[in-house]
Amino acid sequence: MPSARAQVRRDLVAESAPRGRAERAPGAVLTLVALFLVAINLRGAITDVPPLLTSIRDDLGLSGAAAGVLTAIPVVSMGVFAPLAHRGAARYGYERTVAASVVVLLVGVLIRLGGASVVLLFLGTLVAGAGIAVLGAALPGVVKTHFAEHAGAVTGLYSAAVGVGAAGASALAVPLSDGFGSWQLSLGVVAIPAVLGLFAWLPVIRRAKPVRTDPSRTGTGTVTGTTDATEARRTEPTPAPAPGTAAFDTSPWRRPVAWILAVFLVMQTTAYYGVVGWVPAAYEEQGWSAERAGLLLSVFGLTGIVSGLVIPLLADRFTDPRPLFAVTVAGAVVGMGLLAFAPDLAPWPTIALLGLTLGGAFPLMLVMLVRFAPSPAAAGRLSAMTFLIGYPIAAALQIVFGTIHDLTGDYTAVFAVLFAMTLVELAVSLGLDPKHARHP
């Protein structure tokens, strides 16, 4: 007779497993396409600002610290608002939560059209960041719900979409600003992929299954309506987990692996946004044109697409992810070292290397958020906790970096600190033991 622990494991797997092939096959491709179009919006409203930062600072009279605040706002939002993804999903489902987050992002982008006002620029950036935060925290739950058997491949797909959006926004920011004669209108262009993603996602909402609460947290299983809003809510009791079995879906705040992932995210995100936020300005100070410096970010984003596709696929083939983390993060250490201590030696290959490595480390971590969670709800909680810790700290450091630039007059010290942080990132990644996928 199976043990209570084995029964709970099977229940959790059954909850998180994808629908039967006959049921989901017709909609699976459409869901993947919609996921791709939605994920394009995860970085575009962030990476379109740095290439225009010099123009924004000149027009609005922003100091380096204030510019740091502007680049930090979306990152802070991604931590502060990430927990809303799990709450929204618990009540309305991941599908509707994703749609709502895209709407919030779109509102923020439209507010930024009034960027001639410092208040509207910062407010729009905050609102857009909130939408990005909820969207980013919800997508691992979407993957766990619809594609648990192929988490690496699907994570790679939407990570590639993130890279497409990031690279496109940074590459087009300056040309569009020159063409429109307005950096505000250039910032508003990212509303287009948001609208496209929202319309592509609507059929996914219509096919959504009933919302269920997480039995591991409430002791009950609840089916709360279906896509037909007139259908009455129905609640069915579910036996509480046997003693000693709740650990399979325990709070992430009590899981060492969650803290390891949170520290890793601090280092990875700080390095990623350090490149996005300060590389164009750094090379402009060395005499590069704004357009050419912006193209550096395009290279960064495009190479990130490659690693974002390949590395999660490899993760599906590795029981132990630590070798992949070691190779990926070691490359980031080398690239950041070149950026800090030899920025003129080979800027284009250096940025390409950083795109491959920093761009690959993040989706690899997203795969771990799915792998180390026993259910879609647990994946949402783990994502929310990790983002809540990681992003605000990374954002605060961007403000510090802006202040360092004001004090030193260049970016050498900034990139030296980022180099040290990639070393810490490498050390932390070695703690991601595969046993954490089975135990808290």
Side-chain angles (χ1 to χ4, degrees), residues 400-421:
V400 171
F401 293 152
T403 304
I404 290 174
H405 172 265
D406 286 345
L407 294 175
T408 63
D410 61 36
Y411 289 95
T412 301
V414 170
F415 294 131
V417 173
L418 290 170
F419 168 70
M421 296 188 75

PDB file of all heavy atoms in Angstrom, residues 400-421:
ATOM      1  N   VAL A 400      22.985  53.509  -6.192  1.00  0.00           N
ATOM      2  CA  VAL A 400      24.347  53.638  -5.661  1.00  0.00           C
ATOM      3  C   VAL A 400      25.342  53.830  -6.796  1.00  0.00           C
ATOM      4  O   VAL A 400      26.249  54.662  -6.714  1.00  0.00           O
ATOM      5  CB  VAL A 400      24.718  52.394  -4.823  1.00  0.00           C
ATOM      6  CG1 VAL A 400      26.198  52.417  -4.449  1.00  0.00           C
ATOM      7  CG2 VAL A 400      23.860  52.324  -3.567  1.00  0.00           C
ATOM      8  N   PHE A 401      25.158  53.080  -7.874  1.00  0.00           N
ATOM      9  CA  PHE A 401      26.073  53.201  -9.010  1.00  0.00           C
ATOM     10  C   PHE A 401      26.007  54.603  -9.618  1.00  0.00           C
ATOM     11  O   PHE A 401      27.034  55.158 -10.023  1.00  0.00           O
ATOM     12  CB  PHE A 401      25.744  52.150 -10.070  1.00  0.00           C
ATOM     13  CG  PHE A 401      26.002  50.737  -9.630  1.00  0.00           C
ATOM     14  CD1 PHE A 401      25.269  49.688 -10.167  1.00  0.00           C
ATOM     15  CD2 PHE A 401      26.957  50.449  -8.669  1.00  0.00           C
ATOM     16  CE1 PHE A 401      25.494  48.384  -9.766  1.00  0.00           C
ATOM     17  CE2 PHE A 401      27.189  49.143  -8.256  1.00  0.00           C
ATOM     18  CZ  PHE A 401      26.449  48.113  -8.799  1.00  0.00           C
ATOM     19  N   GLY A 402      24.796  55.166  -9.718  1.00  0.00           N
ATOM     20  CA  GLY A 402      24.684  56.531 -10.218  1.00  0.00           C
ATOM     21  C   GLY A 402      25.417  57.519  -9.335  1.00  0.00           C
ATOM     22  O   GLY A 402      26.059  58.450  -9.825  1.00  0.00           O
ATOM     23  N   THR A 403      25.350  57.310  -8.029  1.00  0.00           N
ATOM     24  CA  THR A 403      26.061  58.176  -7.093  1.00  0.00           C
ATOM     25  C   THR A 403      27.566  58.000  -7.222  1.00  0.00           C
ATOM     26  O   THR A 403      28.329  58.973  -7.174  1.00  0.00           O
ATOM     27  CB  THR A 403      25.612  57.867  -5.650  1.00  0.00           C
ATOM     28  OG1 THR A 403      24.188  58.008  -5.554  1.00  0.00           O
ATOM     29  CG2 THR A 403      26.282  58.808  -4.660  1.00  0.00           C
ATOM     30  N   ILE A 404      28.012  56.753  -7.392  1.00  0.00           N
ATOM     31  CA  ILE A 404      29.446  56.491  -7.583  1.00  0.00           C
ATOM     32  C   ILE A 404      29.955  57.234  -8.805  1.00  0.00           C
ATOM     33  O   ILE A 404      31.049  57.829  -8.786  1.00  0.00           O
ATOM     34  CB  ILE A 404      29.705  54.973  -7.719  1.00  0.00           C
ATOM     35  CG1 ILE A 404      29.482  54.275  -6.377  1.00  0.00           C
ATOM     36  CG2 ILE A 404      31.137  54.715  -8.215  1.00  0.00           C
ATOM     37  CD1 ILE A 404      29.573  52.762  -6.458  1.00  0.00           C
ATOM     38  N   HIS A 405      29.169  57.228  -9.876  1.00  0.00           N
ATOM     39  CA  HIS A 405      29.586  57.955 -11.076  1.00  0.00           C
ATOM     40  C   HIS A 405      29.698  59.446 -10.798  1.00  0.00           C
ATOM     41  O   HIS A 405      30.642  60.110 -11.245  1.00  0.00           O
ATOM     42  CB  HIS A 405      28.595  57.710 -12.210  1.00  0.00           C
ATOM     43  CG  HIS A 405      28.843  58.565 -13.409  1.00  0.00           C
ATOM     44  ND1 HIS A 405      28.183  59.758 -13.623  1.00  0.00           N
ATOM     45  CD2 HIS A 405      29.714  58.425 -14.452  1.00  0.00           C
ATOM     46  CE1 HIS A 405      28.630  60.311 -14.743  1.00  0.00           C
ATOM     47  NE2 HIS A 405      29.543  59.519 -15.270  1.00  0.00           N
ATOM     48  N   ASP A 406      28.728  60.001 -10.061  1.00  0.00           N
ATOM     49  CA  ASP A 406      28.790  61.429  -9.738  1.00  0.00           C
ATOM     50  C   ASP A 406      30.048  61.761  -8.940  1.00  0.00           C
ATOM     51  O   ASP A 406      30.653  62.827  -9.120  1.00  0.00           O
ATOM     52  CB  ASP A 406      27.551  61.846  -8.939  1.00  0.00           C
ATOM     53  CG  ASP A 406      26.297  61.927  -9.808  1.00  0.00           C
ATOM     54  OD1 ASP A 406      26.443  61.933 -11.053  1.00  0.00           O
ATOM     55  OD2 ASP A 406      25.192  61.978  -9.253  1.00  0.00           O
ATOM     56  N   LEU A 407      30.445  60.854  -8.061  1.00  0.00           N
ATOM     57  CA  LEU A 407      31.602  61.105  -7.194  1.00  0.00           C
ATOM     58  C   LEU A 407      32.927  60.906  -7.918  1.00  0.00           C
ATOM     59  O   LEU A 407      33.895  61.631  -7.666  1.00  0.00           O
ATOM     60  CB  LEU A 407      31.537  60.188  -5.967  1.00  0.00           C
ATOM     61  CG  LEU A 407      30.380  60.442  -4.993  1.00  0.00           C
ATOM     62  CD1 LEU A 407      30.368  59.378  -3.891  1.00  0.00           C
ATOM     63  CD2 LEU A 407      30.496  61.839  -4.372  1.00  0.00           C
ATOM     64  N   THR A 408      32.994  59.913  -8.814  1.00  0.00           N
ATOM     65  CA  THR A 408      34.263  59.589  -9.462  1.00  0.00           C
ATOM     66  C   THR A 408      34.421  60.199 -10.842  1.00  0.00           C
ATOM     67  O   THR A 408      35.539  60.342 -11.339  1.00  0.00           O
ATOM     68  CB  THR A 408      34.424  58.064  -9.581  1.00  0.00           C
ATOM     69  OG1 THR A 408      33.377  57.542 -10.420  1.00  0.00           O
ATOM     70  CG2 THR A 408      34.346  57.406  -8.205  1.00  0.00           C
ATOM     71  N   GLY A 409      33.301  60.509 -11.491  1.00  0.00           N
ATOM     72  CA  GLY A 409      33.368  61.114 -12.812  1.00  0.00           C
ATOM     73  C   GLY A 409      33.447  60.125 -13.951  1.00  0.00           C
ATOM     74  O   GLY A 409      33.485  60.520 -15.120  1.00  0.00           O
ATOM     75  N   ASP A 410      33.494  58.816 -13.671  1.00  0.00           N
ATOM     76  CA  ASP A 410      33.464  57.803 -14.738  1.00  0.00           C
ATOM     77  C   ASP A 410      32.828  56.527 -14.192  1.00  0.00           C
ATOM     78  O   ASP A 410      32.363  56.489 -13.050  1.00  0.00           O
ATOM     79  CB  ASP A 410      34.860  57.538 -15.314  1.00  0.00           C
ATOM     80  CG  ASP A 410      35.840  57.007 -14.268  1.00  0.00           C
ATOM     81  OD1 ASP A 410      35.412  56.231 -13.389  1.00  0.00           O
ATOM     82  OD2 ASP A 410      37.031  57.361 -14.336  1.00  0.00           O
ATOM     83  N   TYR A 411      32.840  55.483 -15.015  1.00  0.00           N
ATOM     84  CA  TYR A 411      32.142  54.254 -14.646  1.00  0.00           C
ATOM     85  C   TYR A 411      33.085  53.107 -14.288  1.00  0.00           C
ATOM     86  O   TYR A 411      32.631  51.976 -14.091  1.00  0.00           O
ATOM     87  CB  TYR A 411      31.232  53.816 -15.801  1.00  0.00           C
ATOM     88  CG  TYR A 411      30.034  54.713 -15.988  1.00  0.00           C
ATOM     89  CD1 TYR A 411      30.070  55.750 -16.915  1.00  0.00           C
ATOM     90  CD2 TYR A 411      28.883  54.541 -15.233  1.00  0.00           C
ATOM     91  CE1 TYR A 411      28.971  56.590 -17.086  1.00  0.00           C
ATOM     92  CE2 TYR A 411      27.788  55.363 -15.395  1.00  0.00           C
ATOM     93  CZ  TYR A 411      27.839  56.387 -16.319  1.00  0.00           C
ATOM     94  OH  TYR A 411      26.755  57.220 -16.479  1.00  0.00           O
ATOM     95  N   THR A 412      34.365  53.370 -14.153  1.00  0.00           N
ATOM     96  CA  THR A 412      35.319  52.302 -13.848  1.00  0.00           C
ATOM     97  C   THR A 412      34.983  51.615 -12.535  1.00  0.00           C
ATOM     98  O   THR A 412      34.935  50.374 -12.441  1.00  0.00           O
ATOM     99  CB  THR A 412      36.751  52.855 -13.795  1.00  0.00           C
ATOM    100  OG1 THR A 412      37.077  53.455 -15.049  1.00  0.00           O
ATOM    101  CG2 THR A 412      37.748  51.740 -13.482  1.00  0.00           C
ATOM    102  N   ALA A 413      34.735  52.403 -11.490  1.00  0.00           N
ATOM    103  CA  ALA A 413      34.426  51.825 -10.182  1.00  0.00           C
ATOM    104  C   ALA A 413      33.110  51.059 -10.217  1.00  0.00           C
ATOM    105  O   ALA A 413      32.950  50.024  -9.551  1.00  0.00           O
ATOM    106  CB  ALA A 413      34.372  52.922  -9.128  1.00  0.00           C
ATOM    107  N   VAL A 414      32.155  51.548 -10.996  1.00  0.00           N
ATOM    108  CA  VAL A 414      30.864  50.867 -11.104  1.00  0.00           C
ATOM    109  C   VAL A 414      31.046  49.460 -11.662  1.00  0.00           C
ATOM    110  O   VAL A 414      30.551  48.471 -11.101  1.00  0.00           O
ATOM    111  CB  VAL A 414      29.907  51.674 -12.002  1.00  0.00           C
ATOM    112  CG1 VAL A 414      28.654  50.861 -12.316  1.00  0.00           C
ATOM    113  CG2 VAL A 414      29.543  52.992 -11.351  1.00  0.00           C
ATOM    114  N   PHE A 415      31.778  49.358 -12.758  1.00  0.00           N
ATOM    115  CA  PHE A 415      31.958  48.047 -13.374  1.00  0.00           C
ATOM    116  C   PHE A 415      32.867  47.147 -12.542  1.00  0.00           C
ATOM    117  O   PHE A 415      32.746  45.914 -12.594  1.00  0.00           O
ATOM    118  CB  PHE A 415      32.489  48.210 -14.793  1.00  0.00           C
ATOM    119  CG  PHE A 415      31.508  48.883 -15.724  1.00  0.00           C
ATOM    120  CD1 PHE A 415      31.892  49.949 -16.534  1.00  0.00           C
ATOM    121  CD2 PHE A 415      30.194  48.457 -15.771  1.00  0.00           C
ATOM    122  CE1 PHE A 415      30.981  50.575 -17.370  1.00  0.00           C
ATOM    123  CE2 PHE A 415      29.269  49.074 -16.608  1.00  0.00           C
ATOM    124  CZ  PHE A 415      29.661  50.137 -17.412  1.00  0.00           C
ATOM    125  N   ALA A 416      33.765  47.728 -11.751  1.00  0.00           N
ATOM    126  CA  ALA A 416      34.593  46.922 -10.855  1.00  0.00           C
ATOM    127  C   ALA A 416      33.738  46.265  -9.777  1.00  0.00           C
ATOM    128  O   ALA A 416      33.934  45.088  -9.433  1.00  0.00           O
ATOM    129  CB  ALA A 416      35.674  47.790 -10.218  1.00  0.00           C
ATOM    130  N   VAL A 417      32.775  47.013  -9.244  1.00  0.00           N
ATOM    131  CA  VAL A 417      31.853  46.432  -8.259  1.00  0.00           C
ATOM    132  C   VAL A 417      31.018  45.318  -8.903  1.00  0.00           C
ATOM    133  O   VAL A 417      30.806  44.254  -8.304  1.00  0.00           O
ATOM    134  CB  VAL A 417      30.942  47.522  -7.662  1.00  0.00           C
ATOM    135  CG1 VAL A 417      29.869  46.896  -6.770  1.00  0.00           C
ATOM    136  CG2 VAL A 417      31.759  48.535  -6.871  1.00  0.00           C
ATOM    137  N   LEU A 418      30.573  45.546 -10.115  1.00  0.00           N
ATOM    138  CA  LEU A 418      29.784  44.531 -10.814  1.00  0.00           C
ATOM    139  C   LEU A 418      30.619  43.274 -11.069  1.00  0.00           C
ATOM    140  O   LEU A 418      30.100  42.152 -11.004  1.00  0.00           O
ATOM    141  CB  LEU A 418      29.253  45.100 -12.131  1.00  0.00           C
ATOM    142  CG  LEU A 418      28.165  46.161 -11.985  1.00  0.00           C
ATOM    143  CD1 LEU A 418      27.886  46.830 -13.332  1.00  0.00           C
ATOM    144  CD2 LEU A 418      26.886  45.539 -11.433  1.00  0.00           C
ATOM    145  N   PHE A 419      31.894  43.447 -11.365  1.00  0.00           N
ATOM    146  CA  PHE A 419      32.790  42.299 -11.534  1.00  0.00           C
ATOM    147  C   PHE A 419      32.840  41.475 -10.250  1.00  0.00           C
ATOM    148  O   PHE A 419      32.727  40.240 -10.279  1.00  0.00           O
ATOM    149  CB  PHE A 419      34.189  42.794 -11.914  1.00  0.00           C
ATOM    150  CG  PHE A 419      35.259  41.741 -11.829  1.00  0.00           C
ATOM    151  CD1 PHE A 419      35.300  40.695 -12.735  1.00  0.00           C
ATOM    152  CD2 PHE A 419      36.229  41.807 -10.838  1.00  0.00           C
ATOM    153  CE1 PHE A 419      36.291  39.721 -12.651  1.00  0.00           C
ATOM    154  CE2 PHE A 419      37.225  40.843 -10.754  1.00  0.00           C
ATOM    155  CZ  PHE A 419      37.246  39.795 -11.663  1.00  0.00           C
ATOM    156  N   ALA A 420      32.959  42.150  -9.104  1.00  0.00           N
ATOM    157  CA  ALA A 420      33.003  41.443  -7.827  1.00  0.00           C
ATOM    158  C   ALA A 420      31.690  40.701  -7.565  1.00  0.00           C
ATOM    159  O   ALA A 420      31.679  39.589  -7.022  1.00  0.00           O
ATOM    160  CB  ALA A 420      33.282  42.427  -6.689  1.00  0.00           C
ATOM    161  N   MET A 421      30.583  41.295  -7.985  1.00  0.00           N
ATOM    162  CA  MET A 421      29.289  40.658  -7.752  1.00  0.00           C
ATOM    163  C   MET A 421      29.107  39.411  -8.605  1.00  0.00           C
ATOM    164  O   MET A 421      28.456  38.447  -8.184  1.00  0.00           O
ATOM    165  CB  MET A 421      28.167  41.661  -7.998  1.00  0.00           C
ATOM    166  CG  MET A 421      28.191  42.825  -7.019  1.00  0.00           C
ATOM    167  SD  MET A 421      26.743  43.897  -7.138  1.00  0.00           S
ATOM    168  CE  MET A 421      25.508  42.877  -6.353  1.00  0.00           C
TER     169      MET A 421
END
